[in-house]
Amino acid sequence: MNLPRPLRTAAAPALLTATALLALTACGSSEADSGSGAGGTVDIRIPDPGNSGVLALGKKDGSLDKALAKAGAKVRWTGSAGPFAPAAQAMNADQLDIATGSITSGITSLAQRPGFKFFTAVDPDAAGEGILVKNGSGIGSVADLVGKKVAVNQGGTGEYLLLKALAKAGIPAEKVKRVYLRPDQTAAVFNAGKVDAWAVWATYAVAEIGSGKAHFVADGAAIGSDNYSLNAVRTRFAEQHPGVVKALYRYLHDASAKEKQDPAAYLNVFTDAGPTAVTGKSKEVQTAFTRKGGTVDAIGPKDVERFEDVAGFYAEQKVTPGKVDVATHLLDIEKLK
């Protein structure tokens, strides 16, 4: 993820727990579960979107099921949206049909016998991701990170953003200490001062920036990020139900364009209070990021070139043992029938 635009989340495979995987798959079970339901309706298993975003609103007002019904399908919400790595495992195990993640987390998952393909792309988030530092930290540029500790999620967006920022600044990666943490555990470490910076994306940055105590020392635009958000579909599901995948794409594309025009309508869909609500300054920050963000689009040739650049960069930086062939794991949504 927060699926207003696809989430930019990832986690180190070594840090994933059985609990994390079960959270995604608690309501899913087998290949048969995504087959025909009552009256021949196809179930499409998607992680629950939570309180904000296109899918959250589509769940609440019934517009998503209405759109999918035209293709003979309906959503089965399963588990909750979260890091892409466990979602990829769930798709590989026939326990999930759709998941969202970044190209960076996608590449590390593609290196492990994937059972999924990517079918949409959202342009890199120039405003909502970057290197986060505390106000008054004395860190005024990427160069000031030398000798410092930076929290990142291994193999995902955080590690990519840090390495990309350092490479652009001409700073050897070993000059900065990478502290590998799960993104949902990093805020407490960052706020306690146990790391000096946090390479992070909007899902987690909004609250920190909204608190008025932190800011990006370099955002996605300054870093030159190619960190697209992507939607993935289980390969077998796409083969069996291409019309359903195309209907989902059309819904996401149209709804994301509406969200960009009126971001506030897609926040706090089910509740405006509690831990899942976006309030105060954070709401202003999220709204601004969404307005500047992209929409869910089909994957084009220029996108593929940039995906391959990220794969090459990951191989150069030894995040992956070799360059992952991303192109073979993409669907041309316009060719699905």
Side-chain angles (χ1 to χ4, degrees):
M1 103 157 51
N2 189 19
L3 284 170
R5 295 160 292 159
L7 285 172
R8 307 175 193 284
T9 54
L15 294 174
L16 297 174
T17 64
T19 301
L21 183 56
L22 286 172
L24 277 160
T25 62
C27 299
S29 52
S30 68
E31 174 76 29
D33 288 332
S34 62
S36 297
T41 301
V42 174
D43 286 344
I44 180 169
R45 296 165 296 179
I46 303 176
D48 189 277
N51 193 33
S52 296
V54 163
L55 292 183
L57 189 58
K59 178 184 179 182
K60 182 178 181 180
D61 66 14
S63 59
L64 177 57
D65 269 335
K66 183 177 180 180
L68 292 177
K70 296 177 182 178
K74 64 181 179 65
V75 176
R76 179 186 297 182
W77 301 107
T78 176
S80 58
F84 183 71
Q89 292 176 11
M91 285 189 290
N92 292 344
D94 295 336
Q95 295 172 326
L96 193 65
D97 300 312
I98 300 292
T100 310
S102 63
I103 183 59
T104 48
S105 57
I107 285 170
T108 53
S109 294
L110 286 175
Q112 304 171 28
R113 295 186 180 180
F116 60 88
K117 292 183 183 292
F118 293 110
F119 67 101
T120 74
V122 177
D123 286 345
D125 191 355
E129 64 180 14
I131 312 298
L132 196 70
V133 298
K134 290 183 180 178
N135 298 344
S137 67
I139 300 173
S141 69
V142 172
D144 294 332
L145 295 174
V146 172
K148 300 292 196 299
K149 294 185 289 185
V150 182
V152 302
N153 59 309
Q154 187 175 20
T157 292
E159 188 162 30
Y160 169 78
L161 290 172
L162 176 61
L163 292 174
K164 188 76 172 178
L166 295 176
K168 186 172 183 179
I171 300 169
E174 61 269 19
K175 295 289 186 180
V176 176
K177 172 69 174 178
R178 276 171 271 174
V179 179
Y180 293 127
L181 293 169
R182 274 177 30 193
D184 59 347
Q185 297 178 335
T186 307
V189 176
F190 175 71
N191 287 304
K194 295 181 181 179
V195 293
D196 302 291
W198 182 8
V200 67
W201 56 102
T203 303
Y204 301 96
V206 164
E208 302 304 322
I209 296 172
S211 73
K213 298 178 182 179
H215 66 279
F216 284 137
V217 71
D219 61 15
I223 291 168
S225 171
D226 281 327
N227 187 38
Y228 282 78
S229 273
L230 308 174
N231 276 305
V233 59
R234 186 168 56 84
T235 303
R236 185 64 176 154
F237 186 92
E239 292 171 349
Q240 293 178 323
H241 310 293
V244 177
V245 179
K246 193 162 188 176
L248 176 60
Y249 162 71
R250 286 172 177 158
Y251 181 86
L252 294 173
H253 172 74
D254 293 346
S256 66
K258 293 176 183 177
E259 182 196 27
K260 186 176 169 68
Q261 295 299 314
D262 185 15
Y266 293 80
L267 294 176
N268 303 330
V269 172
F270 292 99
T271 179
D272 58 6
T276 64
V278 184
T279 59
K281 183 66 175 178
S282 293
K283 188 172 182 179
E284 295 176 23
V285 172
Q286 180 63 73
T287 297
F289 285 168
T290 302
R291 282 204 178 99
K292 294 176 183 177
T295 55
V296 177
D297 297 315
I299 299 170
K302 292 294 184 183
D303 302 323
V304 179
E305 289 179 14
R306 293 173 73 179
F307 297 170
E308 295 293 350
D309 285 344
V310 176
F313 181 74
Y314 258 24
E316 291 170 10
Q317 297 290 327
K318 302 189 185 326
V319 176
T320 55
K323 183 180 177 183
V324 175
D325 183 6
V326 179
T328 59
H329 302 289
L330 304 177
L331 287 181
D332 184 343
I333 198 70
E334 302 298 346
K335 292 183 179 179
L336 294 182
K337 298 181 180 179

